[in-house]
Amino acid sequence: MSDIEHLEWEIEFLRKRLEMRDRQIEAMHQIGLALYTQPDMDSMIRETLLVALPTVEAEAGSILLYDTDRRRLIFRYVLGNSELIGQTIDPEEDLDGRASTVFRTGQSLLTLNTKDQGYNSHFDDVTGFHT
């Protein structure tokens, strides 16, 4: 790769990063508005998910909440595949799933490609949606 080609590649890379940063800033602005304009917690969480999806260029998304009585993560908010609402995950048994791992460790995970990075395919199998 010539010096000029390398510089062109680097400029394009930086342009894409800047576009992503712009989407993130806009998402934070929209989420901030939602915190003040939504009438209840459910609406705020749904709006946050709705704003987050285009920011990360995702087709679908979900927010799982932990039910302390059942000791399960429950798909509470889902965009793109409503069949998941109410489905549960046992975070103590599901050692491969990203949601369970995040819940157990308290550490966020960035998944760029679910085909290459471990995840629980059970819900894909049940719904036909490919994560």
Side-chain angles (χ1 to χ4, degrees):
M1 179 182 294
S2 73
D3 288 344
I4 291 181
E5 289 172 329
H6 179 73
L7 287 173
E8 288 172 344
W9 177 87
E10 193 168 328
I11 288 169
E12 181 63 20
F13 175 77
L14 292 171
R15 186 186 62 75
K16 288 180 180 179
R17 286 194 61 192
L18 183 58
E19 287 174 0
M20 173 62 98
R21 185 58 48 122
D22 286 345
R23 286 194 307 272
Q24 292 170 338
I25 290 169
E26 178 61 23
M28 293 307 297
H29 174 72
Q30 294 298 322
I31 291 168
L33 286 174
L35 292 175
Y36 293 105
T37 61
Q38 297 301 318
D40 55 54
M41 184 66 74
D42 280 343
S43 297
M44 282 192 287
I45 294 172
R46 260 188 231 96
E47 183 68 18
T48 300
L49 181 57
L50 187 63
V51 168
L53 291 183
T55 303
V56 295
E57 299 177 339
E59 298 174 30
S62 57
I63 294 177
L64 291 78
L65 300 180
Y66 186 69
D67 183 319
T68 55
D69 294 331
R70 296 171 60 191
R71 299 176 59 108
R72 299 283 189 272
L73 291 169
I74 301 174
F75 283 88
R76 177 73 185 272
Y77 305 93
V78 177
L79 293 176
N81 193 350
S82 61
E83 295 175 44
L84 290 174
I85 294 174
Q87 297 285 327
T88 64
I89 298 172
D90 182 341
E92 295 171 11
E93 289 182 12
D94 178 19
L95 302 179
D96 296 325
R98 305 301 268 181
S100 294
T101 300
V102 168
F103 178 77
R104 281 192 315 275
T105 65
Q107 300 292 314
S108 62
L109 292 172
L110 176 62
T111 303
L112 299 176
N113 184 344
T114 58
K115 305 302 182 237
D116 296 337
Q117 298 169 308
Y119 79 107
N120 182 339
S121 63
H122 167 75
F123 296 103
D124 285 3
D125 296 340
V126 169
T127 65
F129 182 84
H130 295 287
T131 305

